[in-house]
Amino acid sequence: MKTTGLAARLLFFGLLSALAVAIAGGLALRESVRNVLQNGFERRIQERADEIAARLYVAKNGLSYDRSIIANSDFSRIYSGWYWQADLAPDAPATMKQRQLRSRSLWDAELVLPTGAGSEETLLQLSGPRGEPLLGHTRSLTGNDTAFVLHVFGPETEIHALLHGFDYLLIAAICGWLLLMALFTFIQVRVGLHPLVRLRKNVEALATGDKERVGASFGADLDPLAKEIDQMLERNERIVHRGRTHTADLAHALKKPLSLLNAEAARLPPDAAALIVEQTQSMTRMIERHLARAGSGAGNLRRVDIQACARGMIDLIARIHADRGLNWELDCPQAYCIRANQADIEEMLGNLLDNAGKWADSRVRLHVRQQGNTLSLCVEDDGAGLDEQQRQEAGNRGRRFDESREGSGLGLAIVADIAETYAGSLRLETSAWGGLAAILELPPIGGEAPADTPERAPEQAGQ
């Protein structure tokens, strides 16, 4: 039950309780009906016993009865299931030869009662001539001062047949009742949990960037929870905003002293000046990196269309490197989305595209695909590329392999830092053209996407 939803659990336990009530009520009703049928059967036996007893008498030679009165009854059909038998008491005079009378239905059989049979008020169970179950009574009578016992029995199968018919009706009624209970329980669960479903969808909309707040109007039970979630989101945004502001203030506060140190270093001897300039530049790069990292993954996260964002960044970077005459390509077959701060996505793509624009010989391509739960953005160029050791060192802060190219060497490190805040990663490989392939992997919105559409010609962003 750990993996099932709340609605399924409510429906399951609702039907389970309804089934338990139906079974208990059905058993109680069946027992009540059985008692009613048995009491009715007992009254029939009593009535027939009264009828037979009224026709029995004790003559000089023993027991006798009026055959014409009951000749056409159930007792006249052989093995009909209805039997009667009358026996003189053991102490009856020996001159009485007719000591037992039996119904024609017994034919040549005899009812044999167990020793110590119950009282006249108790129904007795007995096996008939053919082994069929019987129910009946014994009654002590007296005629002409002579005692005799009358036994009257009927087929217990009549009760069983009626009870079986009632069982079918009861089972059908219980099944119908359970179906109605299932329907009503389902409706109750759907209606009762509708506010909770709306709350869940609003929370999911937060994760996809479609909403900024959960909102309200979920009912008196859930509105306090929704309000607490919204207050927590607002509180976190204030904390993040304050942290980013303090980081930016600290960075600006440090930049002025560092600038003064650089200016003063020009007046010192060359050896001392070089050391000061090297250290101040290192501190400046460190400030820039941590300033970029402090602002990533925070603030208002939105649904970012990677295709539109990539197209805009390629147009921008292509203009920056317009003098190099590069061919810029975008290979993004569909509109992939990610929940992020758009400025962070632009920062990462901008750094990767700008780095490729510096090192490419003639072309740069941005290739976007989704595989499973990973959105892969690959920026590749046809430049000289990096060997394995250089690719491992490329993420180090400020690491540069060509001092003739403009830059601080922080681009890849900043991209890796920002990707980490989104549970993503950056890895470097060799491109299909022999240059560098920077592969940025991020989690997309909505988990696994459908298979990509067939390959199409990449878009040409600029020359």
Side-chain angles (χ1 to χ4, degrees):
M1 296 296 291
K2 291 182 178 180
T3 58
T4 57
L6 180 59
R9 288 197 295 270
L10 289 176
L11 186 60
F12 173 77
F13 286 111
L15 292 179
L16 186 64
S17 60
L19 179 62
V21 171
I23 291 176
L27 292 176
L29 182 59
R30 185 183 188 277
E31 182 64 18
S32 177
V33 170
R34 189 189 69 81
N35 290 334
V36 170
L37 293 176
Q38 185 168 303
N39 291 337
F41 190 77
E42 185 176 4
R43 284 194 298 272
R44 289 177 62 192
I45 292 176
Q46 292 283 10
E47 292 171 357
R48 295 198 172 193
D50 291 341
E51 181 182 355
I52 296 171
R55 306 299 185 264
L56 285 173
Y57 59 92
V58 180
K60 291 182 180 181
N61 64 334
L63 291 171
S64 184
Y65 70 102
D66 185 354
R67 298 176 181 273
S68 62
I69 301 298
I70 58 175
N72 296 323
S73 68
D74 291 332
F75 297 104
S76 64
R77 298 196 310 272
I78 297 175
Y79 302 140
S80 65
W82 286 95
Y83 310 109
W84 66 266
Q85 179 176 298
D87 297 303
L88 282 176
D91 57 353
T95 58
M96 295 181 176
K97 304 302 182 181
Q98 187 67 38
R99 305 187 71 83
Q100 185 183 78
L101 289 176
R102 298 192 301 269
S103 62
R104 177 177 174 78
S105 58
L106 277 171
W107 193 239
D108 57 352
E110 181 179 349
L111 295 176
V112 180
L113 273 74
T115 304
S119 64
E120 296 184 9
E121 293 78 16
T122 305
L123 271 178
L124 301 176
Q125 287 185 324
L126 190 67
S127 294
R130 295 185 298 178
E132 70 273 28
L134 303 176
L135 283 177
H137 273 294
T138 63
R139 180 182 294 185
S140 298
L141 301 171
T142 302
N144 291 335
D145 297 327
T146 302
F148 64 94
V149 180
L150 175 63
H151 312 292
V152 181
F153 283 83
E156 189 180 4
T157 53
E158 288 190 10
I159 297 179
H160 292 166
L162 292 173
L163 198 58
H164 288 163
F166 176 77
D167 287 342
Y168 293 135
L169 180 62
L170 181 62
I171 292 174
I174 289 177
C175 291
W177 185 71
L178 286 177
L179 287 176
L180 286 177
M181 285 298 298
L183 176 62
F184 292 148
T185 303
F186 176 76
I187 295 174
Q188 180 182 2
V189 169
R190 288 295 299 270
V191 174
L193 294 183
H194 183 66
L196 190 59
V197 173
R198 288 179 51 237
L199 177 61
R200 177 179 61 81
K201 290 182 178 179
N202 283 13
V203 172
E204 291 176 349
L206 288 176
T208 58
D210 293 331
K211 283 184 175 291
E212 297 182 20
R213 295 291 183 269
V214 174
S217 301
F218 301 105
D221 296 325
L222 296 177
D223 276 346
L225 175 61
K227 182 178 180 181
E228 184 65 26
I229 294 175
D230 287 342
Q231 289 177 347
M232 181 182 66
L233 293 173
E234 293 174 0
R235 185 164 55 252
N236 288 345
E237 287 184 4
R238 288 196 299 270
I239 293 172
V240 169
H241 178 71
R242 185 168 61 249
R244 296 175 67 176
T245 301
H246 289 175
T247 304
D249 291 343
L250 178 62
H252 289 301
L254 291 175
K255 282 183 177 180
K256 186 175 181 180
L258 290 175
S259 298
L260 292 176
L261 286 176
N262 280 327
E264 292 296 326
R267 304 176 184 178
L268 298 176
D271 294 340
L275 179 61
I276 293 176
V277 170
E278 178 183 355
Q279 294 302 316
T280 54
Q281 290 179 349
S282 176
M283 286 186 284
T284 300
R285 289 194 296 268
M286 186 180 300
I287 290 171
E288 291 176 354
R289 180 179 184 182
H290 285 284
L291 184 61
R293 180 163 187 164
S296 65
N300 295 328
L301 304 185
R302 299 286 187 275
R303 178 190 291 266
V304 179
D305 186 342
I306 295 297
Q307 188 180 61
C309 184
R311 186 179 295 111
M313 292 308 301
I314 288 179
D315 290 341
L316 175 63
I317 302 300
R319 287 196 295 271
I320 295 176
H321 296 280
D323 57 334
R324 302 203 60 214
L326 300 176
N327 182 28
W328 298 83
E329 302 174 7
L330 173 60
D331 183 9
C332 184
Q334 62 189 60
Y336 301 102
C337 294
I338 184 173
R339 179 177 179 256
N341 189 319
Q342 183 161 342
D344 292 338
I345 302 300
E346 293 174 350
E347 178 75 15
M348 290 187 287
L349 287 179
N351 276 299
L352 295 179
L353 291 169
D354 182 58
N355 186 72
K358 294 175 182 177
W359 298 96
D361 289 337
S362 61
R363 60 190 304 188
V364 176
R365 179 172 63 185
L366 172 55
H367 178 87
V368 184
R369 288 293 186 277
Q370 180 173 339
Q371 296 179 346
N373 292 328
T374 301
L375 184 63
S376 175
L377 296 86
C378 177
V379 178
E380 53 186 348
D381 61 68
D382 61 348
L386 301 175
D387 59 32
E388 183 176 355
Q389 182 177 357
Q390 289 175 327
R391 290 198 299 268
Q392 293 177 355
E393 297 176 359
N396 295 337
R397 63 173 62 98
R399 184 69 170 91
R400 299 175 63 192
F401 299 101
D402 189 348
E403 297 295 334
S404 65
R405 305 295 175 97
E406 183 181 355
S408 61
L410 286 172
L412 296 178
I414 289 175
V415 172
D417 288 344
I418 298 177
E420 183 181 351
T421 64
Y422 291 99
S425 63
L426 174 69
R427 71 175 190 271
L428 303 178
E429 295 181 358
T430 301
S431 73
W433 304 323
L436 181 66
I439 303 173
L440 177 63
E441 294 182 339
L442 298 170
I445 285 180
E448 188 170 351
D452 285 324
T453 54
E455 291 286 338
R456 65 175 182 176
E459 299 179 20
Q460 303 297 318
Q463 298 290 337

